[in-house]
Amino acid sequence: MGFWQRFLQLDRKWIFLGIAIVVIIPLIKPIGLPIKPTKPVIDLFTYIDTLGPESGPVMVVTGFDPSTMPELMPMEQALLRHCLTKGIPVISFGGLYPAYIGMAKMAIDEVSADFPDKKYGEDYVFLGFIPGVSAVILSIGIDIATTFGNDYYGTPIDSLPMLRGVKNYSDISLVVDVSGTSTPEYWLMYAQERYGVNIGVACTAVSAPAYYAFLQSGQFVGMMGGMKGAAEYEELMARKGYPTGRRNATIGMDSQSLAHLLIILLIILGNAGYFIVRRGERRRGIIRRKR
Amino acid sequence: MRRRLPVIIAFGIGFAMLIQYFIPHPRSEEFYNVIVQQWFIIIYAFMYIFALRSFFMHHITKVKKKKEGYIFSAVAMVSVLFMLLSGLITSRGPFFDSLYNYMIAPLQGTMFSLLAFFIASAAFRAFRARNVQATLLLVTATIVMIGRVPIGDYLWRGMPDLVEWIMTVPSMAAMRGIRIGVGLGAVATAMKIMLGIERSYMGGE
């Protein structure tokens, strides 16, 4: 058996080890590769950056569970930090499915701890899970207080100072769905199309290609796609001098860069081996036929 | 009647909601508010009760009959009950949060992160340029993979722009075509459900 044949039968534990090394090392010692923001992220950032304390609140919807947390949690935290830095009132909505509420709470707890001057109920509120998915989106368009009744902690919506005068989408500046599923389409169909509210999207890299059409049509104001989108948002925040926290996405991008490089190298070597072995087999076949 | 009644309800509500959309009369708006804010949400809440019932029925049967992997069914049921009770007893307090933050989050995160390892292994073994289509896919995927990370920009300045072009032109054109097809299919399926032609949602054949 030749080298390439042996190489093609490489035990996968070596590949696993390689991936583990290229992921872990940059997390311990970040390389600091430069981040270049792209248009969809700049659009979302700019839209939020033009808002202020007098604007209507921004609703940040948590649409992910821990499985997509490394990609989406930095996005949610960056959005919350941006809004709180600018003094924009924030409605953190725990999501359309029960698995998401823990992620929403984790994000708001961590970010609000960095803004001790911001008060719950005045600068930000946290709305819990309500069953209904599309019905909840439609119902917010009618009346937020009737839809939720109380916030996550059981406080009646009417008694939260920030939500006085906020009845439905017409009083909300922007809804950003931070989603690991197809929920941005629900927000598009039921909130944007029916009530005309502006929608921004923060989604996993694998979902991003599905939303470019809606970006081009102007139905989404902007988009963060994958961890790279989150890193770009963090970069835009840093350029403006806003507090960014630990910049988890930026650090994660170093790992992702090296992991992608390794996978590409494996694909190239795998194909090289495949063609070399196949050519060798063909040659041997020709020789046999000649004999 | 077991089959006719759901069809009548589906037709009635579906048609009423369809018509309502085009009638901006206060009565029509009131009807919409009642359906959306009360009926839909109550029905959805009941779905979770049925889901729990279905979950326990399935796993209790597995444990009773000691089917293969029944121990996992027992663990699943105990976990659900434990989480439910901890939420109810502590009123979603710090203990409940800790269970989520330090058990569910790392477990789910770990499960999903395994994908990275398997994708790398699968890419090495299966991603082959066997024909023109596969080669096209392989080359595009490689460009997007390298261009979607900062190292792509570091290696060649034009890489992010090339990737952005792939995403906003050929990829978007294909996605748009697929979406138009899916949209038309959804309209056709909705009509079939409303008219009682499509009845698989009721279970059975």
Side-chain angles (χ1 to χ4, degrees), chain A residues 28-248:
Chain A
I28 298 166
K29 195 171 170 51
I31 305 164
L33 289 164
I35 307 284
K36 184 182 171 187
T38 51
K39 191 179 177 300
V41 181
I42 294 170
D43 288 346
L44 183 62
F45 179 86
T46 310
Y47 189 91
I48 295 176
D49 211 49
T50 54
L51 302 174
E54 300 309 314
S55 317
V58 168
M59 181 182 265
V60 179
V61 185
T62 307
F64 62 97
D65 60 16
S67 61
T68 46
M69 181 182 162
E71 269 188 297
L72 299 172
M73 183 59 90
M75 296 184 189
E76 176 141 344
Q77 290 185 335
L79 286 165
L80 292 171
R81 274 178 209 285
H82 192 186
C83 291
L84 291 177
T85 305
K86 292 279 297 177
I88 305 163
V90 180
I91 300 172
S92 173
F93 172 28
L96 300 170
Y97 294 98
Y100 306 157
I101 190 85
M103 291 285 98
K105 188 157 191 305
M106 199 186 280
I108 198 83
D109 283 352
E110 281 185 31
V111 173
S112 61
D114 293 343
F115 292 85
D117 56 318
K118 301 291 177 190
K119 287 194 178 76
Y120 182 80
E122 290 178 19
D123 301 297
Y124 64 97
V125 295
F126 182 30
L127 303 180
F129 164 74
I130 296 286
V133 193
S134 52
V136 174
I137 301 174
L138 288 169
S139 187
I140 295 170
I142 302 165
D143 188 3
I144 293 174
T146 313
T147 305
F148 291 94
N150 300 324
D151 70 356
Y152 178 79
Y153 306 104
T155 314
I157 297 281
D158 296 333
S159 64
L160 295 166
M162 198 196 94
L163 290 180
R164 279 182 203 138
V166 179
K167 184 173 168 57
N168 52 36
Y169 291 124
S170 56
D171 305 306
I172 290 174
S173 307
L174 177 73
V175 174
V176 187
D177 188 19
V178 187
S179 174
T181 61
S182 59
T183 53
E185 291 170 36
Y186 298 166
W187 288 97
L188 182 73
M189 285 188 283
Y190 302 117
Q192 200 274 335
E193 190 276 332
R194 178 142 194 152
Y195 296 103
V197 67
N198 292 309
I199 307 282
V201 181
C203 60
T204 53
V206 75
S207 304
Y211 302 133
Y212 274 87
F214 303 120
L215 279 174
Q216 197 206 31
S217 64
Q219 288 166 289
F220 288 150
V221 298
M223 177 172 77
M224 276 190 264
M227 195 186 278
K228 183 171 182 276
E232 289 172 15
Y233 205 93
E234 287 175 351
E235 175 66 19
L236 289 166
M237 295 258 296
R239 284 182 191 176
K240 281 266 187 177
Y242 299 154
T244 56
R246 192 173 169 260
R247 293 187 72 171
N248 285 329

Side-chain angles (χ1 to χ4, degrees), chain A residues 10 16 34 66-67 99 105-106 132 138-139 142 152 185 193-195 213 216 228 257 260 271 275, chain B residues 21 32-33 37 40 44 92 97 100-101 108 112 117 124-125 127-129 145-146 148 150 172 176 179:
Chain A
L10 180 71
F16 292 172
S67 61
K105 188 157 191 305
M106 199 186 280
L138 288 169
S139 187
I142 302 165
Y152 178 79
E185 291 170 36
E193 190 276 332
R194 178 142 194 152
Y195 296 103
Q216 197 206 31
K228 183 171 182 276
S257 286
H260 279 203
N271 275 279
F275 284 111
Chain B
Y21 186 79
Y32 169 78
N33 292 356
Q37 290 203 304
F40 275 6
Y44 263 104
R92 296 183 299 192
D97 283 348
Y100 187 90
N101 293 348
Q108 270 198 27
F112 215 69
F117 296 93
F124 174 64
R125 292 185 200 291
F127 214 178
R128 298 277 184 263
M145 272 178 71
I146 198 78
R148 294 288 289 173
M172 189 173 73
R176 194 164 272 172
R179 284 193 168 276

Side-chain angles (χ1 to χ4, degrees), chain B residues 78 86 90-91 93 96 119 180 201 203:
Chain B
V78 169
S86 69
T90 67
S91 303
F96 179 75
I119 283 174
I180 291 169
Y201 68 95

Side-chain angles (χ1 to χ4, degrees), chain B:
Chain B
M1 200 60 188
R2 278 183 67 190
R3 292 201 157 261
R4 200 170 291 169
L5 189 64
V7 171
I8 292 167
I9 294 171
F11 178 79
I13 299 292
F15 196 69
M17 290 303 282
L18 190 69
I19 295 286
Q20 185 282 326
Y21 186 79
F22 299 101
I23 305 172
H25 190 273
R27 283 283 166 85
S28 166
E29 293 296 318
E30 198 181 317
F31 167 77
Y32 169 78
N33 292 356
V34 168
I35 292 284
V36 167
Q37 290 203 304
Q38 295 175 21
W39 288 28
F40 275 6
I41 289 177
I42 291 167
I43 291 167
Y44 263 104
F46 268 100
M47 273 166 47
Y48 286 100
I49 296 169
F50 279 116
L52 263 181
R53 180 187 168 276
S54 170
F55 170 83
F56 279 108
M57 292 291 280
H58 173 77
H59 288 293
I60 286 170
T61 312
K62 249 181 127 176
V63 172
K64 267 186 181 170
K65 292 184 177 173
K66 293 204 170 177
K67 284 184 180 173
E68 194 187 345
Y70 74 93
I71 194 78
F72 300 115
S73 291
V75 171
M77 284 191 292
V78 169
S79 305
V80 167
L81 284 173
F82 188 69
M83 200 71 195
L84 193 69
L85 289 174
S86 69
L88 290 171
I89 293 166
T90 67
S91 303
R92 296 183 299 192
F95 178 69
F96 179 75
D97 283 348
S98 298
L99 280 179
Y100 187 90
N101 293 348
Y102 304 118
M103 285 193 77
I104 297 175
L107 282 169
Q108 270 198 27
T110 305
M111 281 295 292
F112 215 69
S113 68
L114 293 177
L115 261 181
F117 296 93
F118 288 111
I119 283 174
S121 176
F124 174 64
R125 292 185 200 291
F127 214 178
R128 298 277 184 263
R130 286 196 169 90
N131 50 43
V132 178
Q133 289 94 328
T135 310
L136 208 60
L137 183 69
L138 196 146
V139 171
T140 313
T142 306
I143 293 169
V144 173
M145 272 178 71
I146 198 78
R148 294 288 289 173
V149 287
I151 209 157
D153 182 39
Y154 185 75
L155 294 173
W156 177 46
R157 278 257 171 248
M159 189 64 91
D161 296 329
L162 176 63
V163 171
E164 206 57 23
W165 179 83
I166 290 172
M167 302 301 274
T168 53
V169 182
S171 169
M172 189 173 73
M175 281 308 298
R176 194 164 272 172
I178 292 167
R179 284 193 168 276
I180 291 169
V182 169
L184 291 172
V187 171
T189 307
M191 289 306 290
K192 281 168 78 179
I193 290 171
M194 277 168 60
L195 297 171
I197 299 164
E198 168 64 55
R199 296 179 181 205
S200 58
Y201 68 95
M202 285 186 262
E205 75 283 352

